[in-house]
Amino acid sequence: MAKKDTQQQDSSKVWSIFSLGAALLGATVARKTVTKSWQAATGKNPPANPADPDVDLWEAVLWAAASGTIIQIARMLFSRRAAHYYARSTGHLPPGLGRDNQDPSKSDPATT
């Protein structure tokens, strides 16, 4: 039994490092992509600090919305890809990730 606990802890550590790397890589790629897209669309650099009062409000809001959305989507996609690779490599889902049971025909246990 102790060996199984050690394997689960090792698996959890590997997944933690792997998922962190995937999320950071996804965020970095997305940040560079959204910055280049902003420069191509507006002809100028994105605001360094959208909270700066010298930055137009519309520009700050648009930058925050665009960069936040793109970066979070990229992080999610990279993390999903990492989970898929992990599952293929180990034969099971990463620790903490399980099937969602999103079958609408089943009742929600919280409401019953």
Side-chain angles (χ1 to χ4, degrees):
M1 180 144 152
K3 186 175 182 178
K4 185 175 182 179
D5 289 340
T6 303
Q7 287 175 337
Q8 287 177 341
Q9 287 175 345
D10 290 344
S11 179
S12 179
K13 288 176 186 175
V14 168
W15 171 244
S16 294
I17 293 168
F18 196 57
S19 65
L20 177 63
L24 290 173
L25 179 62
T28 301
V29 169
R31 179 76 172 191
K32 289 183 181 203
T33 301
V34 76
T35 298
K36 294 287 183 191
S37 298
W38 182 273
Q39 290 169 336
T42 65
K44 58 184 181 177
N45 289 329
N49 183 2
D52 182 354
D54 292 335
V55 175
D56 288 336
L57 180 61
W58 72 267
E59 186 177 17
V61 169
L62 192 58
W63 172 249
S67 63
T69 301
I70 301 292
I71 290 170
Q72 289 302 321
I73 289 172
R75 286 182 64 206
M76 183 257 319
L77 291 173
F78 274 68
S79 293
R80 286 175 59 98
R81 190 70 190 146
H84 179 73
Y85 177 78
Y86 182 94
R88 269 196 352 230
S89 299
T90 64
H92 59 84
L93 289 172
L97 291 183
R99 302 281 180 218
D100 267 351
N101 296 333
Q102 292 186 356
D103 185 0
S105 65
K106 295 182 180 178
S107 66
D108 183 8
T111 59
T112 57

